[in-house]
Amino acid sequence: GNLVSRVSSGAALRASGALGLGSLTGVLYSTPSWISDYGQGDPRSFAAAAQLEQTAGIFTLELAGHYQRNEDLVGAATFTLGFGRLTIAGEERYQFDTDAAGVFGPEGIVAESVGNFFWESSNRRWTFWGEYSHNDSRRDDEVGDDGVRRDGEHLVGLAMKAPSLRAGGWRPQLTWRHAVGDLSGQVIAGTSGTIAPDLTLSFGMPVFYGKPGSYYRGIAETRVIDDDDTLTGQEADLLEISGQDVLSVTFGLSISFSF
């Protein structure tokens, strides 16, 4: 929902003021690529966006829109609810595609959705996250081999941190990601802790499941084929391995200090 992410590569004029229970912000910006393509005085070299934010107690709502003459109109809506230690948030992003006559068609609206929650105990010993996302642009136009027509890409995920096992902050962590459409996913179990002043060691064990070529096993579809349509011995070995279940262990070492 960051509709003005390209501002970092250009220049922008921003204005904000109080409105109702929140604020209204407007942004006008341009990028070097637009100026190079259309010229400094051309309206196509600029884009405009606005965001309305309203907060009432535990509820916050944000509405945003973005317009650039050569692009589809884009809008976004975000809400946040806070109940003590629990935070629930949702975000919806719409892209309105028009035909040559400037009219919205029946398939001209593409939506992306994200919903999540975050909870942490009062002593911060237990932490839980959860998220669901849906990308309507990933829908299938035809019924698949399994007789099912996908209505988009549905992804879910859960994560948690448990209390520390011992001194040094060794907190067990578990992350699960799952693609609903092809029943593939990833589970990562690991921990991290301090092994010396300002020195942290992390390690985890990711396990992937699902059919080769699925969302989380897509590497199995990657192959290099010669011009004569034959595989070298090394490429054949890679394909054979990629079609099997894979188990791996990762390690990371980080150091941080203040001065």
Side-chain angles (χ1 to χ4, degrees):
N2 184 356
L3 306 184
V4 292
S5 58
R6 290 173 293 192
V7 166
S8 59
S9 62
L13 177 65
R14 174 185 175 188
S16 183
L19 181 65
L21 299 175
S23 63
L24 177 65
T25 300
V27 177
L28 179 68
Y29 73 100
S30 182
T31 66
S33 62
W34 287 342
I35 295 177
S36 175
D37 291 340
Y38 308 117
Q40 294 184 0
D42 195 306
R44 294 173 295 178
S45 298
F46 298 89
Q51 182 183 59
L52 175 66
E53 181 269 329
Q54 299 288 292
T55 300
I58 64 174
F59 181 75
T60 298
L61 174 67
E62 295 180 2
L63 301 175
H66 181 279
Y67 175 77
Q68 205 277 342
R69 186 167 175 177
N70 275 15
E71 298 178 353
D72 297 331
L73 183 66
V74 181
T78 305
F79 76 90
T80 304
L81 282 170
F83 302 95
R85 314 296 300 184
L86 175 65
T87 300
I88 300 174
E91 185 170 358
E92 189 87 4
R93 182 182 186 273
Y94 295 96
Q95 180 173 328
F96 302 93
D97 188 13
T98 59
D99 58 22
V103 180
F104 294 123
E107 299 295 330
I109 300 178
V110 175
E112 296 177 67
S113 309
V114 176
N116 59 66
F117 75 87
F118 173 82
W119 181 86
E120 189 173 53
S121 62
S122 58
N123 55 11
R124 294 189 173 183
R125 290 172 57 85
W126 290 94
T127 305
F128 292 90
W129 299 266
E131 185 168 286
Y132 161 80
S133 68
H134 173 244
N135 188 337
D136 191 56
S137 65
R138 301 294 181 91
R139 58 176 178 257
D140 294 337
D141 294 330
E142 299 179 357
V143 176
D145 295 336
D146 55 2
V148 178
R149 182 185 185 278
R150 311 298 180 193
D151 62 347
E153 179 183 88
H154 298 267
L155 304 174
V156 294
L158 293 172
M160 60 85 70
K161 282 186 177 182
S164 302
L165 297 176
R166 46 165 296 176
W170 292 93
R171 298 187 64 182
Q173 304 173 36
L174 183 66
T175 302
W176 171 62
R177 299 181 177 95
H178 180 75
V180 177
D182 55 27
L183 302 180
S184 66
Q186 177 194 63
V187 179
I188 303 177
T191 186
S192 62
T194 302
I195 58 176
D198 302 317
L199 190 63
T200 300
L201 173 66
S202 302
F203 65 91
M205 181 178 295
V207 178
F208 296 86
Y209 61 88
K211 297 180 180 179
S214 57
Y215 187 89
Y216 285 99
R217 294 286 304 277
I219 190 174
E221 293 297 307
T222 303
R223 62 181 67 186
V224 179
I225 300 180
D226 301 328
D227 293 337
D228 60 356
D229 207 29
T230 59
L231 295 174
T232 65
Q234 184 178 6
E235 291 165 352
D237 291 341
L238 175 61
L239 288 177
E240 183 179 355
I241 294 174
S242 63
Q244 301 173 0
D245 292 333
V246 179
L247 178 64
S248 58
V249 180
T250 61
F251 294 91
L253 192 64
S254 61
I255 184 171
S256 61
F257 56 91
S258 302
F259 57 90

